[in-house]
């Protein structure tokens, strides 16, 4: 763990519930706490109380950390995400198309990004603009209802 901290001052560990060797996470956590220049950001699918952490010292340390819960995006956030992802790809999309997508897609940050990527790819392949009729034609490829 100390070698990791020496090489990487800022560490991100995703999905800590999938870590099989809890002692490694415990040592990384302690090393980061001891090193004032280091930082640790962890993600999990649930609150530390509900992760099934067997190592009591690790569980208590995780519970003592500052927690931030991320909610799934609502329709307004989905609209904003679609607009941003389309804009990042320099695609001008009508507001009614964004509304159509926001009310039909899975409420997930990743899903919006994947859907915009897939729409851009399919529009190029079919040489079509991204419109509601086009989306309805390819709805099965997008996983839309």
């Amino acid at each position: 763990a100390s070698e990791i901290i020496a090489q990487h001052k800022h560490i991100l560990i995703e999905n800590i519930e999938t870590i099989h060797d809890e002692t490694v996470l415990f040592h990384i956590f302690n090393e980061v706490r001891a090193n004032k220049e280091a930082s640790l950001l962890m993600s999990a699918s649930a609150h530390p109380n509900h992760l099934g952490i067997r190592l009591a010292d690790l569980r208590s340390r995780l519970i003592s950390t500052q927690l931030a819960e991320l909610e799934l995006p609502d329709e307004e956030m989905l609209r904003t995400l679609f607009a941003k992802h389309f804009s990042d790809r320099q695609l001008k999309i009508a507001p009614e198309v964004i509304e159509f997508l926001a009310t039909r897609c899975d409420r997930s940050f990743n899903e919006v990004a994947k859907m915009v990527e897939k729409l851009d790819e399919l529009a190029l392949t079919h040489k079509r603009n991204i419109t509601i009729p086009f989306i309805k034609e390819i709805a099965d490829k997008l996983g839309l209802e």
Side-chain angles (χ1 to χ4, degrees), residues 20-70:
H20 298 292
D21 188 349
E22 293 178 359
T23 57
V24 171
L25 181 57
F26 177 73
H27 291 302
I28 290 171
F29 190 96
N30 288 335
E31 288 287 330
V32 168
R33 264 200 165 157
N35 184 335
K36 300 295 182 206
E37 295 178 13
S39 62
L40 174 62
L41 178 63
M42 298 174 283
S43 74
S45 61
H47 187 280
N49 280 334
H50 305 290
L51 293 178
I53 303 290
R54 293 176 304 282
L55 191 59
D57 288 340
L58 175 60
R59 187 173 50 252
S60 69
R61 280 170 176 73
L62 292 174
I63 291 168
S64 74
T65 62
Q66 186 172 9
L67 302 174
E69 185 175 339
L70 301 179

Side-chain angles (χ1 to χ4, degrees), residues 43-136:
S43 74
S45 61
H47 187 280
N49 280 334
H50 305 290
L51 293 178
I53 303 290
R54 293 176 304 282
L55 191 59
D57 288 340
L58 175 60
R59 187 173 50 252
S60 69
R61 280 170 176 73
L62 292 174
I63 291 168
S64 74
T65 62
Q66 186 172 9
L67 302 174
E69 185 175 339
L70 301 179
E71 298 287 330
L72 292 176
D74 60 11
E75 281 184 23
E76 183 63 32
M77 176 61 79
L78 289 174
R79 286 185 206 91
T80 302
L81 289 168
F82 274 114
K84 184 223 181 294
H85 285 288
F86 283 126
S87 175
D88 287 351
R89 291 174 170 271
Q90 299 179 346
L91 296 169
K92 292 187 186 335
I93 304 298
E96 59 269 13
V97 171
I98 290 174
E99 182 67 28
F100 181 84
L101 291 168
T103 57
R104 287 167 177 78
C105 75
D106 289 339
R107 294 184 183 279
S108 158
F109 293 96
N110 287 338
E111 190 60 34
V112 171
K114 288 180 194 175
M115 187 169 295
V116 169
E117 180 180 358
K118 190 74 172 167
L119 274 166
D120 189 16
E121 181 183 300
L122 290 167
L124 287 170
T125 301
H126 291 85
K127 296 182 170 81
R128 302 269 306 270
N129 290 326
I130 299 173
T131 61
I132 293 173
F134 177 63
I135 293 168
K136 286 179 178 179

